[in-house]
Amino acid sequence: MSEIQEIKNRITESETKAGRSLWYYSWKRLKRNKLAMVGLYVLSFMVFVAIFAPWIAPYDPNDQILEFATKPINFKGEVLIKKDLGSNNELQYIPIKKIISSSGNDINYIDYNDADKTISKSELNEKTPFKTLTFLLGTDRFGRDVLSRLIYGSRISLSVGLISESIAIVLGLILGALAGFFRGTTDKVIMWIINVVWAFPSILFVIAISVVLGKGFWQAFVAIGLTAWVDIARIVRGQIFSIRETEYIEATKAVGFKSPRIILRHILPNCMGPVIITGTVGLATAIIFEASLSFLGLGVQPPTASWGQMIFDGYKYLIAGTNWGLAVFPSLAIMITVFAVNLLGDGVRDALDPKLTK
Amino acid sequence: MNKPLYVQYYKFLSKAVQGDLGRSYSTNREVTSTIIQRFPATALLATSALILSTILGVLIGIVSAIKKYSFVDNFSMVFALIGISIPQFVFALLMALIFGAILKWFPISGYITEGWSHLVLPMVTLALRPLAIIARMTRSSMLDVMNQDYVRTAKAKGLSNAKVIFKHTLRNALNPVVTTLSASLAATLGGAFFIEYIFNWPGIGLLAVDSILKLDFPVIQGTVLFSAIIFVVINFLVDIVYAFLDPKVKLS
């Protein structure tokens, strides 16, 4: 067996063998960091809530009971439930203030216009004609349950955050790797694009892109992704500049491996640490950007619940001093999520880069 | 408007370099003069907030670095992390709620023409994020420098603690802080969008948000372009300042 062939085999073997890697030791270090683990638990909880939202949320987030609009925390509203008429499967609520009498076949009640009304029992649901709805965090201006909207809003925040950051990482990895590996003209062109994107304050760039693309769900994460990739690309490029000078890369070239294989299997895995660190920070930023976009009415469109939009809606009530919860609860939700991501991000940074821990 | 896109773009560019950004769809005023008229408010807000955040941030950073892992350190670092985690508009709302609506210490909306107290809430709100970043920066770069040999030498010489910290450590630790500061300055001078919007502060940011909500494209273009120019100019100036501050950096 020739010597070159032997080296080739050894490198191929190292490609497939996992072993106790950097990741194993990093994960051990991360587990010891209490704050980071708190962040991880909170974040896992959020993801759990987002995935199982339909089972966790007490009500449908878009069910409107206009009579119950902007009610305070722990509001209990009484309703009569109409019979399910089959065709449209929705329950029909009749909000009532009080039942006066329910004798025989009729129920006598006072509705929200203070009118005295009577309804036949045969029109009502047989099993539960009467129900008290509890709104733990109150209701918004359409009488929708704030808690349910918060729970459904986590889906938007997390998914836009994750998807846009994934777009950013993929774009950043590809362009950063190309620039770093091939240098020369490729590098110049890519760096030029990076510098152009960098010249704009990022939130402004996000807003500008989403104004061009129009309002909506996918527009939001495309806009954020197209802005955030530059951070990743710069890091990857810098990493590759130093890694490609190392001896083990020289070895792969000497035995005649092709560029894609060198980049994918030998260079990129070795610069994943900084990418993950930047990615977690980017995730926090992406969540904030999504909230900012929907606060301006540019992100997800109503009636879909999103935290930024809930804050925008609730802002007027907060200033007027009528119902502070409408703005404060979604604000808290964003804060807790971003705080958890940042705690985790700090921990990941310390775990992946032992030089930094003091 | 019915010309091809590249012709329109060429027209826009050739007018823009002459300082003509067109007229607003909604008010029919010249975009350039509107931006110039709005700039002082933004500049006042940005500089005052950054002065506040630099002074406080560096102080907090120094104390945290000296008393590493003490209660003060942990407290201020968690505080700084919270400061980074709160979206600006959320913090603005909380400030408006607590100090404006509940305590009624400061007015929620308006400009300094109605009294300087109008500056307080937007300034403090805008200062939070750079303050948090600067505090974290100062702490970590102070810790870096404190392990250097020349600091140990300075201590061994028997210099007072204050002299070691301010003359030998802080001076060398401030470089990354200048970078952070310039980035914040560049970003906020182009308009603090959400803060200006929430506190109704008549600067570039409010102009930008208003125009976005009204889809007033000439104004959107103008404010975006203006922010980008500010960003580039500030970064250029900072590079020059750097060369003076740090002899290791050479302008090529």
Side-chain angles (χ1 to χ4, degrees), chain A residues 42-70:
Chain A
V42 173
L43 207 59
S44 315
F45 174 72
M46 292 281 181
V47 172
F48 177 83
V49 168
I51 292 174
F52 296 101
W55 290 276
I56 297 172
Y59 305 105
D60 186 300
N62 298 328
D63 267 359
Q64 303 183 358
I65 305 177
L66 289 172
E67 285 82 356
F68 292 166
T70 62

PDB file of all heavy atoms in Angstrom, chain A residues 42-70:
ATOM      1  N   VAL A  42     -36.447  26.726  30.089  1.00  0.00           N
ATOM      2  CA  VAL A  42     -37.501  27.685  29.734  1.00  0.00           C
ATOM      3  C   VAL A  42     -37.807  27.593  28.247  1.00  0.00           C
ATOM      4  O   VAL A  42     -38.969  27.556  27.824  1.00  0.00           O
ATOM      5  CB  VAL A  42     -37.085  29.124  30.118  1.00  0.00           C
ATOM      6  CG1 VAL A  42     -38.093  30.133  29.587  1.00  0.00           C
ATOM      7  CG2 VAL A  42     -36.955  29.251  31.613  1.00  0.00           C
ATOM      8  N   LEU A  43     -36.746  27.522  27.455  1.00  0.00           N
ATOM      9  CA  LEU A  43     -36.923  27.462  26.014  1.00  0.00           C
ATOM     10  C   LEU A  43     -37.639  26.173  25.595  1.00  0.00           C
ATOM     11  O   LEU A  43     -38.542  26.195  24.754  1.00  0.00           O
ATOM     12  CB  LEU A  43     -35.556  27.540  25.336  1.00  0.00           C
ATOM     13  CG  LEU A  43     -35.562  28.126  23.940  1.00  0.00           C
ATOM     14  CD1 LEU A  43     -36.119  29.531  23.973  1.00  0.00           C
ATOM     15  CD2 LEU A  43     -34.154  28.135  23.383  1.00  0.00           C
ATOM     16  N   SER A  44     -37.250  25.053  26.216  1.00  0.00           N
ATOM     17  CA  SER A  44     -37.921  23.784  25.911  1.00  0.00           C
ATOM     18  C   SER A  44     -39.397  23.867  26.258  1.00  0.00           C
ATOM     19  O   SER A  44     -40.259  23.377  25.514  1.00  0.00           O
ATOM     20  CB  SER A  44     -37.292  22.636  26.701  1.00  0.00           C
ATOM     21  OG  SER A  44     -35.912  22.704  26.660  1.00  0.00           O
ATOM     22  N   PHE A  45     -39.674  24.508  27.399  1.00  0.00           N
ATOM     23  CA  PHE A  45     -41.064  24.686  27.801  1.00  0.00           C
ATOM     24  C   PHE A  45     -41.827  25.483  26.740  1.00  0.00           C
ATOM     25  O   PHE A  45     -42.939  25.114  26.337  1.00  0.00           O
ATOM     26  CB  PHE A  45     -41.106  25.399  29.157  1.00  0.00           C
ATOM     27  CG  PHE A  45     -42.491  25.767  29.602  1.00  0.00           C
ATOM     28  CD1 PHE A  45     -43.383  24.793  30.023  1.00  0.00           C
ATOM     29  CD2 PHE A  45     -42.904  27.092  29.581  1.00  0.00           C
ATOM     30  CE1 PHE A  45     -44.659  25.133  30.417  1.00  0.00           C
ATOM     31  CE2 PHE A  45     -44.178  27.448  29.975  1.00  0.00           C
ATOM     32  CZ  PHE A  45     -45.057  26.454  30.394  1.00  0.00           C
ATOM     33  N   MET A  46     -41.205  26.560  26.265  1.00  0.00           N
ATOM     34  CA  MET A  46     -41.841  27.392  25.229  1.00  0.00           C
ATOM     35  C   MET A  46     -42.111  26.574  23.971  1.00  0.00           C
ATOM     36  O   MET A  46     -43.180  26.685  23.365  1.00  0.00           O
ATOM     37  CB  MET A  46     -40.923  28.567  24.864  1.00  0.00           C
ATOM     38  CG  MET A  46     -40.753  29.568  25.958  1.00  0.00           C
ATOM     39  SD  MET A  46     -42.184  30.653  26.027  1.00  0.00           S
ATOM     40  CE  MET A  46     -41.722  31.745  27.340  1.00  0.00           C
ATOM     41  N   VAL A  47     -41.121  25.771  23.571  1.00  0.00           N
ATOM     42  CA  VAL A  47     -41.286  24.959  22.368  1.00  0.00           C
ATOM     43  C   VAL A  47     -42.432  23.964  22.573  1.00  0.00           C
ATOM     44  O   VAL A  47     -43.277  23.775  21.703  1.00  0.00           O
ATOM     45  CB  VAL A  47     -39.971  24.217  22.030  1.00  0.00           C
ATOM     46  CG1 VAL A  47     -40.190  23.220  20.905  1.00  0.00           C
ATOM     47  CG2 VAL A  47     -38.893  25.205  21.652  1.00  0.00           C
ATOM     48  N   PHE A  48     -42.472  23.357  23.764  1.00  0.00           N
ATOM     49  CA  PHE A  48     -43.543  22.426  24.100  1.00  0.00           C
ATOM     50  C   PHE A  48     -44.907  23.112  23.981  1.00  0.00           C
ATOM     51  O   PHE A  48     -45.828  22.606  23.336  1.00  0.00           O
ATOM     52  CB  PHE A  48     -43.318  21.909  25.530  1.00  0.00           C
ATOM     53  CG  PHE A  48     -44.396  20.996  26.025  1.00  0.00           C
ATOM     54  CD1 PHE A  48     -44.380  19.647  25.690  1.00  0.00           C
ATOM     55  CD2 PHE A  48     -45.416  21.484  26.822  1.00  0.00           C
ATOM     56  CE1 PHE A  48     -45.371  18.807  26.134  1.00  0.00           C
ATOM     57  CE2 PHE A  48     -46.413  20.646  27.273  1.00  0.00           C
ATOM     58  CZ  PHE A  48     -46.384  19.303  26.927  1.00  0.00           C
ATOM     59  N   VAL A  49     -45.015  24.291  24.599  1.00  0.00           N
ATOM     60  CA  VAL A  49     -46.269  25.049  24.548  1.00  0.00           C
ATOM     61  C   VAL A  49     -46.654  25.350  23.098  1.00  0.00           C
ATOM     62  O   VAL A  49     -47.802  25.208  22.697  1.00  0.00           O
ATOM     63  CB  VAL A  49     -46.137  26.363  25.356  1.00  0.00           C
ATOM     64  CG1 VAL A  49     -47.318  27.279  25.063  1.00  0.00           C
ATOM     65  CG2 VAL A  49     -46.064  26.058  26.832  1.00  0.00           C
ATOM     66  N   ALA A  50     -45.645  25.747  22.298  1.00  0.00           N
ATOM     67  CA  ALA A  50     -45.930  26.117  20.912  1.00  0.00           C
ATOM     68  C   ALA A  50     -46.437  24.909  20.125  1.00  0.00           C
ATOM     69  O   ALA A  50     -47.406  25.017  19.379  1.00  0.00           O
ATOM     70  CB  ALA A  50     -44.674  26.698  20.260  1.00  0.00           C
ATOM     71  N   ILE A  51     -45.795  23.766  20.319  1.00  0.00           N
ATOM     72  CA  ILE A  51     -46.181  22.577  19.552  1.00  0.00           C
ATOM     73  C   ILE A  51     -47.575  22.108  19.956  1.00  0.00           C
ATOM     74  O   ILE A  51     -48.408  21.789  19.115  1.00  0.00           O
ATOM     75  CB  ILE A  51     -45.149  21.450  19.758  1.00  0.00           C
ATOM     76  CG1 ILE A  51     -43.825  21.847  19.106  1.00  0.00           C
ATOM     77  CG2 ILE A  51     -45.652  20.138  19.144  1.00  0.00           C
ATOM     78  CD1 ILE A  51     -42.705  20.887  19.361  1.00  0.00           C
ATOM     79  N   PHE A  52     -47.836  22.073  21.262  1.00  0.00           N
ATOM     80  CA  PHE A  52     -49.104  21.530  21.730  1.00  0.00           C
ATOM     81  C   PHE A  52     -50.137  22.614  22.029  1.00  0.00           C
ATOM     82  O   PHE A  52     -51.055  22.390  22.810  1.00  0.00           O
ATOM     83  CB  PHE A  52     -48.863  20.648  22.963  1.00  0.00           C
ATOM     84  CG  PHE A  52     -48.033  19.444  22.647  1.00  0.00           C
ATOM     85  CD1 PHE A  52     -46.681  19.421  22.959  1.00  0.00           C
ATOM     86  CD2 PHE A  52     -48.591  18.352  21.999  1.00  0.00           C
ATOM     87  CE1 PHE A  52     -45.907  18.311  22.649  1.00  0.00           C
ATOM     88  CE2 PHE A  52     -47.810  17.249  21.677  1.00  0.00           C
ATOM     89  CZ  PHE A  52     -46.470  17.232  22.004  1.00  0.00           C
ATOM     90  N   ALA A  53     -49.972  23.771  21.389  1.00  0.00           N
ATOM     91  CA  ALA A  53     -50.870  24.905  21.637  1.00  0.00           C
ATOM     92  C   ALA A  53     -52.351  24.538  21.590  1.00  0.00           C
ATOM     93  O   ALA A  53     -53.112  24.918  22.480  1.00  0.00           O
ATOM     94  CB  ALA A  53     -50.552  26.029  20.670  1.00  0.00           C
ATOM     95  N   PRO A  54     -52.811  23.772  20.576  1.00  0.00           N
ATOM     96  CA  PRO A  54     -54.251  23.492  20.507  1.00  0.00           C
ATOM     97  C   PRO A  54     -54.771  22.740  21.723  1.00  0.00           C
ATOM     98  O   PRO A  54     -55.940  22.859  22.074  1.00  0.00           O
ATOM     99  CB  PRO A  54     -54.379  22.628  19.249  1.00  0.00           C
ATOM    100  CG  PRO A  54     -53.176  22.940  18.446  1.00  0.00           C
ATOM    101  CD  PRO A  54     -52.094  23.242  19.420  1.00  0.00           C
ATOM    102  N   TRP A  55     -53.902  21.934  22.367  1.00  0.00           N
ATOM    103  CA  TRP A  55     -54.362  21.173  23.527  1.00  0.00           C
ATOM    104  C   TRP A  55     -54.216  21.959  24.827  1.00  0.00           C
ATOM    105  O   TRP A  55     -54.890  21.694  25.796  1.00  0.00           O
ATOM    106  CB  TRP A  55     -53.593  19.856  23.630  1.00  0.00           C
ATOM    107  CG  TRP A  55     -53.965  18.926  22.535  1.00  0.00           C
ATOM    108  CD1 TRP A  55     -55.023  18.070  22.501  1.00  0.00           C
ATOM    109  CD2 TRP A  55     -53.301  18.781  21.284  1.00  0.00           C
ATOM    110  NE1 TRP A  55     -55.052  17.401  21.295  1.00  0.00           N
ATOM    111  CE2 TRP A  55     -54.012  17.817  20.528  1.00  0.00           C
ATOM    112  CE3 TRP A  55     -52.171  19.385  20.701  1.00  0.00           C
ATOM    113  CZ2 TRP A  55     -53.630  17.431  19.253  1.00  0.00           C
ATOM    114  CZ3 TRP A  55     -51.786  19.004  19.442  1.00  0.00           C
ATOM    115  CH2 TRP A  55     -52.525  18.033  18.720  1.00  0.00           C
ATOM    116  N   ILE A  56     -53.269  22.920  24.834  1.00  0.00           N
ATOM    117  CA  ILE A  56     -53.006  23.666  26.061  1.00  0.00           C
ATOM    118  C   ILE A  56     -53.924  24.881  26.179  1.00  0.00           C
ATOM    119  O   ILE A  56     -54.432  25.182  27.252  1.00  0.00           O
ATOM    120  CB  ILE A  56     -51.532  24.113  26.110  1.00  0.00           C
ATOM    121  CG1 ILE A  56     -50.625  22.883  26.143  1.00  0.00           C
ATOM    122  CG2 ILE A  56     -51.278  24.984  27.330  1.00  0.00           C
ATOM    123  CD1 ILE A  56     -49.167  23.211  25.991  1.00  0.00           C
ATOM    124  N   ALA A  57     -54.139  25.562  25.069  1.00  0.00           N
ATOM    125  CA  ALA A  57     -54.925  26.792  25.108  1.00  0.00           C
ATOM    126  C   ALA A  57     -56.361  26.483  25.549  1.00  0.00           C
ATOM    127  O   ALA A  57     -56.982  25.551  25.048  1.00  0.00           O
ATOM    128  CB  ALA A  57     -54.931  27.455  23.734  1.00  0.00           C
ATOM    129  N   PRO A  58     -56.869  27.265  26.495  1.00  0.00           N
ATOM    130  CA  PRO A  58     -58.236  27.008  26.977  1.00  0.00           C
ATOM    131  C   PRO A  58     -59.305  27.274  25.916  1.00  0.00           C
ATOM    132  O   PRO A  58     -60.336  26.611  25.908  1.00  0.00           O
ATOM    133  CB  PRO A  58     -58.383  27.951  28.161  1.00  0.00           C
ATOM    134  CG  PRO A  58     -57.278  28.948  28.043  1.00  0.00           C
ATOM    135  CD  PRO A  58     -56.195  28.298  27.276  1.00  0.00           C
ATOM    136  N   TYR A  59     -59.087  28.249  25.052  1.00  0.00           N
ATOM    137  CA  TYR A  59     -60.097  28.570  24.033  1.00  0.00           C
ATOM    138  C   TYR A  59     -59.440  28.704  22.675  1.00  0.00           C
ATOM    139  O   TYR A  59     -58.223  28.758  22.554  1.00  0.00           O
ATOM    140  CB  TYR A  59     -60.810  29.892  24.355  1.00  0.00           C
ATOM    141  CG  TYR A  59     -61.415  29.896  25.720  1.00  0.00           C
ATOM    142  CD1 TYR A  59     -60.816  30.619  26.746  1.00  0.00           C
ATOM    143  CD2 TYR A  59     -62.565  29.170  25.996  1.00  0.00           C
ATOM    144  CE1 TYR A  59     -61.359  30.616  28.022  1.00  0.00           C
ATOM    145  CE2 TYR A  59     -63.106  29.149  27.259  1.00  0.00           C
ATOM    146  CZ  TYR A  59     -62.505  29.872  28.269  1.00  0.00           C
ATOM    147  OH  TYR A  59     -63.034  29.851  29.516  1.00  0.00           O
ATOM    148  N   ASP A  60     -60.266  28.781  21.638  1.00  0.00           N
ATOM    149  CA  ASP A  60     -59.751  29.104  20.314  1.00  0.00           C
ATOM    150  C   ASP A  60     -59.283  30.557  20.341  1.00  0.00           C
ATOM    151  O   ASP A  60     -60.023  31.435  20.785  1.00  0.00           O
ATOM    152  CB  ASP A  60     -60.866  28.918  19.277  1.00  0.00           C
ATOM    153  CG  ASP A  60     -60.338  29.091  17.863  1.00  0.00           C
ATOM    154  OD1 ASP A  60     -59.819  30.184  17.570  1.00  0.00           O
ATOM    155  OD2 ASP A  60     -60.452  28.152  17.064  1.00  0.00           O
ATOM    156  N   PRO A  61     -58.036  30.841  19.863  1.00  0.00           N
ATOM    157  CA  PRO A  61     -57.507  32.202  19.995  1.00  0.00           C
ATOM    158  C   PRO A  61     -58.280  33.221  19.171  1.00  0.00           C
ATOM    159  O   PRO A  61     -58.156  34.425  19.385  1.00  0.00           O
ATOM    160  CB  PRO A  61     -56.069  32.071  19.487  1.00  0.00           C
ATOM    161  CG  PRO A  61     -56.088  30.881  18.606  1.00  0.00           C
ATOM    162  CD  PRO A  61     -57.081  29.941  19.210  1.00  0.00           C
ATOM    163  N   ASN A  62     -59.063  32.757  18.199  1.00  0.00           N
ATOM    164  CA  ASN A  62     -59.779  33.717  17.355  1.00  0.00           C
ATOM    165  C   ASN A  62     -61.271  33.795  17.657  1.00  0.00           C
ATOM    166  O   ASN A  62     -62.011  34.473  16.960  1.00  0.00           O
ATOM    167  CB  ASN A  62     -59.567  33.369  15.883  1.00  0.00           C
ATOM    168  CG  ASN A  62     -58.109  33.449  15.512  1.00  0.00           C
ATOM    169  OD1 ASN A  62     -57.366  34.256  16.070  1.00  0.00           O
ATOM    170  ND2 ASN A  62     -57.681  32.604  14.594  1.00  0.00           N
ATOM    171  N   ASP A  63     -61.727  33.081  18.678  1.00  0.00           N
ATOM    172  CA  ASP A  63     -63.132  33.165  19.060  1.00  0.00           C
ATOM    173  C   ASP A  63     -63.441  34.521  19.674  1.00  0.00           C
ATOM    174  O   ASP A  63     -62.835  34.917  20.666  1.00  0.00           O
ATOM    175  CB  ASP A  63     -63.448  32.071  20.098  1.00  0.00           C
ATOM    176  CG  ASP A  63     -63.959  30.815  19.418  1.00  0.00           C
ATOM    177  OD1 ASP A  63     -64.075  30.842  18.174  1.00  0.00           O
ATOM    178  OD2 ASP A  63     -64.222  29.834  20.122  1.00  0.00           O
ATOM    179  N   GLN A  64     -64.354  35.224  19.051  1.00  0.00           N
ATOM    180  CA  GLN A  64     -64.686  36.547  19.568  1.00  0.00           C
ATOM    181  C   GLN A  64     -66.003  36.504  20.327  1.00  0.00           C
ATOM    182  O   GLN A  64     -66.977  35.955  19.839  1.00  0.00           O
ATOM    183  CB  GLN A  64     -64.812  37.548  18.424  1.00  0.00           C
ATOM    184  CG  GLN A  64     -63.569  37.630  17.568  1.00  0.00           C
ATOM    185  CD  GLN A  64     -63.702  38.681  16.495  1.00  0.00           C
ATOM    186  OE1 GLN A  64     -64.735  39.318  16.372  1.00  0.00           O
ATOM    187  NE2 GLN A  64     -62.658  38.851  15.726  1.00  0.00           N
ATOM    188  N   ILE A  65     -65.997  37.081  21.512  1.00  0.00           N
ATOM    189  CA  ILE A  65     -67.260  37.327  22.207  1.00  0.00           C
ATOM    190  C   ILE A  65     -67.256  38.817  22.507  1.00  0.00           C
ATOM    191  O   ILE A  65     -66.648  39.267  23.474  1.00  0.00           O
ATOM    192  CB  ILE A  65     -67.365  36.509  23.508  1.00  0.00           C
ATOM    193  CG1 ILE A  65     -67.169  35.020  23.208  1.00  0.00           C
ATOM    194  CG2 ILE A  65     -68.725  36.751  24.152  1.00  0.00           C
ATOM    195  CD1 ILE A  65     -67.177  34.147  24.436  1.00  0.00           C
ATOM    196  N   LEU A  66     -67.851  39.570  21.601  1.00  0.00           N
ATOM    197  CA  LEU A  66     -67.691  41.025  21.668  1.00  0.00           C
ATOM    198  C   LEU A  66     -68.183  41.599  22.992  1.00  0.00           C
ATOM    199  O   LEU A  66     -67.690  42.610  23.469  1.00  0.00           O
ATOM    200  CB  LEU A  66     -68.420  41.687  20.501  1.00  0.00           C
ATOM    201  CG  LEU A  66     -67.733  41.432  19.155  1.00  0.00           C
ATOM    202  CD1 LEU A  66     -68.583  41.940  18.008  1.00  0.00           C
ATOM    203  CD2 LEU A  66     -66.353  42.049  19.114  1.00  0.00           C
ATOM    204  N   GLU A  67     -69.169  40.929  23.602  1.00  0.00           N
ATOM    205  CA  GLU A  67     -69.689  41.436  24.877  1.00  0.00           C
ATOM    206  C   GLU A  67     -68.638  41.387  25.970  1.00  0.00           C
ATOM    207  O   GLU A  67     -68.716  42.117  26.955  1.00  0.00           O
ATOM    208  CB  GLU A  67     -70.907  40.617  25.315  1.00  0.00           C
ATOM    209  CG  GLU A  67     -72.171  40.919  24.531  1.00  0.00           C
ATOM    210  CD  GLU A  67     -72.211  40.171  23.203  1.00  0.00           C
ATOM    211  OE1 GLU A  67     -71.218  39.478  22.860  1.00  0.00           O
ATOM    212  OE2 GLU A  67     -73.225  40.278  22.491  1.00  0.00           O
ATOM    213  N   PHE A  68     -67.655  40.491  25.808  1.00  0.00           N
ATOM    214  CA  PHE A  68     -66.632  40.336  26.838  1.00  0.00           C
ATOM    215  C   PHE A  68     -65.353  41.116  26.500  1.00  0.00           C
ATOM    216  O   PHE A  68     -64.265  40.732  26.906  1.00  0.00           O
ATOM    217  CB  PHE A  68     -66.259  38.851  27.016  1.00  0.00           C
ATOM    218  CG  PHE A  68     -67.357  38.019  27.603  1.00  0.00           C
ATOM    219  CD1 PHE A  68     -67.288  36.636  27.569  1.00  0.00           C
ATOM    220  CD2 PHE A  68     -68.452  38.609  28.214  1.00  0.00           C
ATOM    221  CE1 PHE A  68     -68.293  35.858  28.109  1.00  0.00           C
ATOM    222  CE2 PHE A  68     -69.471  37.842  28.756  1.00  0.00           C
ATOM    223  CZ  PHE A  68     -69.390  36.464  28.697  1.00  0.00           C
ATOM    224  N   ALA A  69     -65.442  42.187  25.727  1.00  0.00           N
ATOM    225  CA  ALA A  69     -64.235  42.880  25.265  1.00  0.00           C
ATOM    226  C   ALA A  69     -63.485  43.567  26.409  1.00  0.00           C
ATOM    227  O   ALA A  69     -64.100  44.092  27.334  1.00  0.00           O
ATOM    228  CB  ALA A  69     -64.603  43.910  24.206  1.00  0.00           C
ATOM    229  N   THR A  70     -62.150  43.548  26.322  1.00  0.00           N
ATOM    230  CA  THR A  70     -61.213  44.166  27.269  1.00  0.00           C
ATOM    231  C   THR A  70     -61.626  43.975  28.728  1.00  0.00           C
ATOM    232  O   THR A  70     -61.750  44.931  29.476  1.00  0.00           O
ATOM    233  CB  THR A  70     -61.026  45.672  27.009  1.00  0.00           C
ATOM    234  OG1 THR A  70     -62.269  46.332  27.187  1.00  0.00           O
ATOM    235  CG2 THR A  70     -60.464  45.931  25.654  1.00  0.00           C
TER     236      THR A  70
END
